[in-house]
Amino acid sequence: KDLQHEKNEDDPGTRYIIKIDEKEYETIHKLVEGKFILAMAGKNPTEFELKQFRTEDGVTNEVHVRPDEIIDLGHYGIEDFITKKIYVFFIGKKEYRTTHETLTVREILEQYAEVDPNNKLLGEKGENEGYVEYKDLDQKIDMKVIHHFTLFDEEPAGKS
C-alpha cells in the first residue's frame, strides 16, 4: 500500500488538522510522509527541511522529519510542524547543507569541515576581489548565497 494515501480505515470520515508554519491544514490521511506534509505547505523537500514539535514527559522538542519518514496523524491533538529553508555550500567538492542563514568561520571549520581552526584557513574565490581568506573565526558568512570554499593550511608565519 502507498502509505502516503492510506486513509484511517476505522473511521473514513475522520479529518486530521495539522499546523505547518502556524497555518492550519486538513487531510483525510492518517499516515503521511514528511514530503507529503511539505507538499501541503507548497514546499519542495530538496529546498526545505521539516521539523515537528514533539512533547514527551512535559518537554517539547523540535525533531527533524525526513522526507520519507511516516508520521501518524492519529495522535491526540493537532500535530505542529515548521519548515526551514535549506542552504547549500561546498568545501572543496563536497556538498554541505544547513538551515542557518549565517554561519561563522569557526562553525564551518569545526562542524562541517571537521578540522582544527587553528591549523586550517577557509577561503574562496570572490567576485572582483580575487581570493578571499576568512581569518576572523567569528566572522559571520551569509549562507543564502552558494559558497565554494577551499581549505588550506595555516602558514606558520601567520601564527602568533
Side-chain angles (χ1 to χ4, degrees):
K1 279 187 176 178
D2 183 355
L3 290 177
Q4 186 171 337
H5 300 289
E6 182 177 320
K7 295 180 184 178
N8 179 354
E9 294 175 9
D10 297 331
D11 185 2
T14 300
R15 302 260 187 252
Y16 300 94
I17 297 171
I18 63 174
K19 280 173 68 174
I20 309 168
D21 297 330
E22 300 296 321
K23 185 176 176 188
E24 287 191 3
Y25 296 85
E26 188 176 293
T27 181
I28 59 171
H29 306 294
K30 180 181 179 190
L31 302 175
V32 296
E33 292 179 314
K35 62 187 167 193
F36 178 81
I37 296 168
L38 283 167
M40 288 179 75
K43 309 269 174 105
N44 183 326
T46 61
E47 297 174 10
F48 288 86
E49 188 174 275
L50 185 66
K51 303 269 187 173
Q52 181 180 21
F53 293 106
R54 295 183 187 161
T55 303
E56 293 177 23
D57 300 324
V59 177
T60 301
N61 293 304
E62 190 179 291
V63 179
H64 174 73
V65 177
R66 295 182 323 276
D68 62 344
E69 186 175 340
I70 304 298
I71 302 293
D72 182 352
L73 300 179
H75 293 290
Y76 179 76
I78 296 173
E79 300 293 329
D80 197 3
F81 300 90
I82 59 170
T83 61
K84 293 190 175 189
K85 176 82 173 124
I86 296 171
Y87 303 104
V88 176
F89 65 98
F90 297 85
I91 301 173
K93 294 185 180 194
K94 187 171 179 186
E95 178 181 300
Y96 295 88
R97 297 168 164 267
T98 182
T99 56
H100 298 286
E101 291 186 355
T102 62
L103 289 172
T104 64
V105 172
R106 180 184 312 279
E107 289 170 326
I108 294 169
L109 290 170
E110 291 179 347
Q111 297 172 21
Y112 294 90
E114 297 179 344
V115 297
D116 182 345
N118 297 311
N119 297 330
K120 295 286 185 184
L121 285 176
L122 188 68
E124 74 177 319
K125 188 175 180 180
E127 282 185 42
N128 306 322
E129 300 174 27
Y131 198 78
V132 179
E133 292 180 5
Y134 298 101
K135 293 185 177 184
D136 178 358
L137 294 177
D138 296 319
Q139 180 180 346
K140 291 182 185 262
I141 298 176
D142 181 2
M143 302 311 293
K144 292 177 281 193
V145 295
I146 296 176
H147 292 275
H148 295 271
F149 297 114
T150 302
L151 289 178
F152 52 99
D153 292 329
E154 170 75 81
E155 296 179 26
K159 294 195 178 217
S160 36

